[in-house]
Amino acid sequence: MPKEYIVTIRTNRRGRVGGRNRVLGVGAAVSTAAWVISITVPGGVPTASALPSINQTWSVTLGDAGNPIAMSSPVVANLPGGPAAVVGDRAGHVYAYYLSGGAVPGWPFNTGGIPVDSPPSTSGGLVYFGAGNAATPFSGGTYAVNGSGGLVWHQIEHDPPTNNNQAHGVSAGISVAPNGVVAPSLGQNEDAYNATNGAEIGGFPWFQADTVFSTAAIADIEGNGQPQIVEGGASTAGIAYGQQYTNGGHIRILHPTGSAGFGQPNQGLFCEYNTNQDVISSPAVGQFLGGGANGAVAGTGNDARDINNSDNHTVIAIDKNCNRAWQTRLDGDTSSSPALADLFGNGGLEVVQGTDYNNGASGSVYALNGANGGVIWRTPVPGGVFGGAATADLFNQGYQDVIVGTTGGVVVLDGRTGAQVAVVEQGVGVQSTPLITRDPNGLIGITIAGYNGSNSGEIRHYEVAGSNGGLVTEKGAWPEFHHDPQLTGNAGTPPPVVQVPCNAPSGRATGYYETAGDGGLFNFGNLPYCGSTGNIVLNSPVVGMAMTPDGGGYWLVASDGGVFTFGDARFFGSHGGAPLNKPIVGMASTPDGNGYWLVASDGGIFTYGDAPFYGSTGAIRLNQPVVGMAADPLTGGYWMVASDGGIFNFNAPYEGSTGAIRLNRPMVGMSADPQTGGYWLVASDGGIFNFNAPYLGSTGAIRLNAPIIGMATDRSTNGYWLVASDGGVFNFNAPFYGSKGGTHLNRPMVGATGV
């Protein structure tokens, strides 16, 4: 059986007093009494009276009494008419209000009464969110809404059929990744959808096994050139798809393509760190560990079953291999989400974590040393912290201040010392993260969303007098829930590749690219340089490349199947980190540039985007390994060539091969003739073998300084170029635009493409 147990939704743990599913009642936490804050801080305490004032500019009381805004944090979205704060409530509405005041036309969106605890996200003009929570786990799903509040698509999560309790709700935020949007659920599966049309992405649904409230971070924590999915979750003891699960939770790093290329729907993890308390907190990712190394940090949860376990009330940091870097125990529930911020203005990142330690009535905010988890400061605040902190340089002092929402209001803490320096709001209970924005007038804005003493939703907006709104998105800031409107949770991971702004040629694209084994990229003709991987250490060497149809970008592929995109080349997935029977040796793009194939040395084919699978030789024994492939521009199929010149055709015509003759040197590549529908094969000595394609010359009879590694077709002349490992280029009925022959290369050339 693929699944041998059934996970039930533990609604009691979320609905208990102070839990994730609770909005504190009338007068329970919203207080206007004066607060006495006792703190121990290093250094001096700033004088609040000397700081600029924070002034309310507008407020809205919502008609949702009894079902107000709870865990949904406001995010900023660029909607028709200007930037707006978008947030959901438990009455099933998602509201949008301009930062300058007034409702955005067409909003709110209504789910039909299904509660929205999910913080919205936004990208490409659409707003994404989930609906359903622990109290209503069997309805909801994932929604995409346009800027005018109209539904674009709605998808419902479905558990494996072996589960009799199908929980469709999505309480986590919908994180935006390069290849789609990621939607963990209250059920057993996590989905990833095409951001535009809602179609499920290959490798999903992914079997997450148990409830996930944690919003996924999207960041290249592995440093392999593509962002991974980093999230928390719950776990219940049992066996599913051959894996033993234990009670508690985990922080895991998942391939962006889920289980694609693996045998089971719960496979595809880079790694996971298991805990004995569930992980509700949404991980933050960045360069905060010792030496500026990448890591992920999260609090745990509030499962009453595990309340006395060692991971309860702690914050855990892991490295890219899911090894625990440090763990720090705090004074209460750490299910709120951490922020990574430069609290001292020195370029480093500290961890800011809120707690709840008195059933929602009391809490603290901590600043922790990112390298070792040591407590820098702790400040009691007037209520429990459930959403998390935001940070910004509110007063232009060169470091981040901490803005935190609590069940007793919203306060500002000095980032260096933790001292309370301002009270933003005392009359609204806030279980979400405040939103910090650059307002249209150039000032820093603060939007809070919560509930009043009548248990109705409140959205209030403030501005910091004389502030510099340009500081809101500076490096080291954390201005909203999970850092940004895409909810990536990424405070800054080193750029995995050098991306350079580039444009497709204004006229006809002409020329060719060469790539080296380190991903160094060299452009000739009018083709633009869009970046490379030549500046980073790769897990595996680059072995090939392909170009977009307009010449405005390209893909590089490594031997482990990792794919790197540049310019207008879109990322559709990769095999990086997934098991391979044999290494990848090449790639080809589809004629429209909306997909690509990867080919392994055993002839295994891996398809991404709109690239169709027509077959492979991965299951048969080959006389010689496959060394390359080419797409047929006329049929949409492809050929593969082996080192003996054997040709394998899939939805492409067979025009002949050299598989039965003796070669002076092995074949190293091939290229298609778009005019005739035939192809050329090239050997390492530059010998050319033509099949239903004209013979235009070769280097087979001359002595080369370095072996030929590949060839490319000139679409303008129907000629071809041969490329040697030293970067030398040999042109046949095709213009010569230059080469790297005779110059120093860090690594030999391994691939080429032309137009």
Side-chain angles (χ1 to χ4, degrees):
M1 296 289 291
K3 181 173 182 303
E4 300 162 48
Y5 75 107
I6 295 174
V7 177
T8 57
I9 304 300
R10 307 182 208 136
T11 55
N12 62 321
R13 66 177 175 178
R14 314 298 181 194
R16 65 182 179 84
V17 173
R20 289 276 296 188
N21 198 45
R22 183 167 182 264
V23 176
L24 297 174
V26 176
V30 180
S31 171
T32 58
W35 304 325
V36 179
I37 306 296
S38 175
I39 59 175
T40 302
V41 298
V45 177
T47 303
S49 60
L51 297 173
S53 60
I54 300 176
N55 308 306
Q56 185 180 125
T57 59
W58 57 264
S59 67
V60 176
T61 300
L62 306 174
D64 56 5
N67 291 290
I69 297 168
M71 301 305 302
S72 182
S73 296
V75 301
V76 64
N78 288 316
L79 301 182
V86 183
V87 68
D89 70 5
R90 287 189 167 170
H93 304 108
V94 178
Y95 302 90
Y97 284 89
Y98 291 119
L99 299 181
S100 56
V104 178
W107 296 79
F109 178 85
N110 190 353
T111 66
I114 304 170
V116 178
D117 272 356
S118 168
S121 62
T122 179
S123 180
L126 299 182
V127 174
Y128 307 96
F129 57 88
N133 59 16
T136 59
F138 304 112
S139 57
T142 303
Y143 297 75
V145 176
N146 64 27
S148 300
L151 180 66
V152 177
W153 55 262
H154 171 216
Q155 294 287 11
I156 297 175
E157 184 273 334
H158 293 284
D159 284 351
T162 49
N163 186 14
N164 296 324
N165 297 306
Q166 296 275 325
H168 307 307
V170 175
S171 184
I174 310 302
S175 305
V176 179
N179 60 334
V181 295
V182 178
S185 80
L186 300 179
Q188 294 179 317
N189 279 335
E190 172 173 280
D191 293 291
Y193 302 114
N194 179 290
T196 303
N197 59 28
E200 190 88 56
I201 291 173
F204 291 88
W206 187 78
F207 184 73
Q208 64 186 25
D210 203 344
T211 305
V212 173
F213 287 87
S214 173
T215 299
I218 308 296
D220 184 18
I221 188 173
E222 295 293 322
N224 66 0
Q226 299 300 336
Q228 293 81 48
I229 299 168
V230 186
E231 64 191 6
S235 179
T236 297
I239 298 175
Y241 298 110
Q243 179 174 332
Q244 176 68 56
Y245 295 88
T246 59
N247 287 332
H250 38 247
I251 306 171
R252 58 191 174 218
I253 303 175
L254 176 65
H255 280 269
T257 50
S259 63
F262 296 87
Q264 298 291 348
N266 61 348
Q267 294 179 328
L269 286 172
F270 280 96
C271 58
E272 68 180 358
Y273 178 83
N274 292 315
T275 61
N276 56 36
Q277 172 62 275
D278 62 356
V279 179
I280 295 175
S281 176
S282 302
V285 178
Q287 294 174 268
F288 66 93
L289 296 179
N294 276 342
V297 61
T300 54
N302 56 18
D303 186 351
R305 179 191 61 186
D306 302 324
I307 204 72
N308 295 316
N309 289 347
S310 60
D311 292 332
N312 194 48
H313 292 182
T314 67
V315 178
I316 301 170
I318 64 171
D319 65 16
K320 69 174 187 176
N321 298 313
C322 296
N323 299 311
R324 187 179 68 185
W326 52 260
Q327 183 170 5
T328 302
R329 178 170 291 275
L330 306 185
D331 62 9
D333 180 357
T334 55
S335 59
S336 65
S337 298
L340 291 172
D342 183 3
L343 299 183
F344 295 98
N346 59 7
L349 292 175
E350 287 73 49
V351 178
V352 182
Q353 177 70 44
T355 67
D356 162 49
Y357 59 82
N358 191 18
N359 291 331
S362 302
S364 296
V365 177
Y366 286 80
L368 306 177
N369 184 303
N372 58 30
V375 176
I376 299 171
W377 52 256
R378 166 189 172 267
T379 302
V381 289
V385 180
F386 291 91
T391 77
D393 185 359
L394 296 182
F395 309 117
N396 201 15
Q397 298 181 110
Y399 60 88
Q400 297 293 297
D401 300 295
V402 177
I403 306 93
V404 62
T406 80
T407 53
V410 179
V411 296
V412 177
L413 309 178
D414 182 83
R416 297 172 303 169
T417 66
Q420 178 187 307
V421 296
V423 176
V424 177
E425 177 59 58
Q426 291 178 276
V428 175
V430 176
Q431 296 189 30
S432 59
T433 301
L435 168 65
I436 316 300
T437 54
R438 183 188 189 279
D439 280 5
N441 61 7
L443 299 179
I444 293 177
I446 303 174
T447 305
I448 68 168
Y451 48 91
N452 59 26
S454 300
N455 228 11
S456 294
E458 291 277 348
I459 305 174
R460 298 185 180 182
H461 188 77
Y462 305 80
E463 288 182 342
V464 181
S467 57
N468 178 5
L471 298 176
V472 168
T473 56
E474 68 178 337
K475 184 178 180 180
W478 191 276
E480 56 193 292
F481 176 78
H482 232 215
H483 185 268
D484 49 62
Q486 293 74 45
L487 305 187
T488 67
N490 185 357
T493 52
V497 295
V498 175
Q499 291 279 0
V500 177
C502 65
N503 296 301
S506 57
R508 171 179 283 187
T510 56
Y512 40 83
Y513 289 108
E514 299 176 284
T515 185
D518 61 358
L521 199 288
F522 307 93
N523 57 310
F524 301 92
N526 69 358
L527 299 179
Y529 174 76
C530 303
S532 77
T533 63
N535 68 314
I536 65 169
V537 177
L538 300 175
N539 293 332
S540 298
V542 168
V543 294
M545 70 178 303
M547 185 172 59
T548 58
D550 64 357
Y554 41 85
W555 299 270
L556 305 182
V557 63
S559 63
D560 65 353
V563 173
F564 306 88
T565 62
F566 301 88
D568 61 9
R570 296 173 56 196
F571 178 72
F572 298 105
S574 79
H575 212 71
L580 288 168
N581 293 328
K582 296 293 181 181
I584 299 297
V585 294
M587 73 182 304
S589 64
T590 57
D592 62 5
N594 289 321
Y596 42 79
W597 298 273
L598 309 184
V599 62
S601 64
D602 62 357
I605 288 286
F606 305 88
T607 63
Y608 300 93
D610 66 359
F613 178 78
Y614 290 120
S616 76
T617 63
I620 66 174
R621 182 180 179 276
L622 300 177
N623 293 330
Q624 297 294 328
V626 168
V627 294
M629 71 178 299
D632 184 345
L634 302 182
T635 68
Y638 47 85
W639 301 279
M640 297 184 291
V641 60
S643 63
D644 61 358
I647 287 290
F648 305 91
N649 56 308
F650 300 92
N651 196 42
Y654 176 77
E655 303 288 356
S657 78
T658 64
I661 66 173
R662 182 181 178 277
L663 299 174
N664 293 330
R665 292 289 186 271
M667 295 297 180
V668 293
M670 70 179 301
S671 194
D673 183 341
Q675 187 174 47
T676 66
Y679 44 83
W680 297 279
L681 311 183
V682 62
S684 65
D685 62 357
I688 288 288
F689 303 85
N690 54 309
F691 300 92
N692 191 28
Y695 176 78
L696 302 171
S698 77
T699 63
I702 66 173
R703 184 179 179 273
L704 300 175
N705 294 329
I708 298 297
I709 53 87
M711 69 180 302
T713 302
D714 183 346
R715 300 178 199 168
S716 300
T717 66
N718 289 311
Y720 47 80
W721 300 281
L722 309 184
V723 178
S725 64
D726 65 353
V729 172
F730 304 88
N731 55 309
F732 299 92
N733 196 40
F736 178 75
Y737 295 108
S739 78
K740 297 300 290 184
T743 63
H744 171 73
L745 297 174
N746 293 328
R747 293 290 185 274
M749 296 298 181
V750 295
T753 187
V755 63

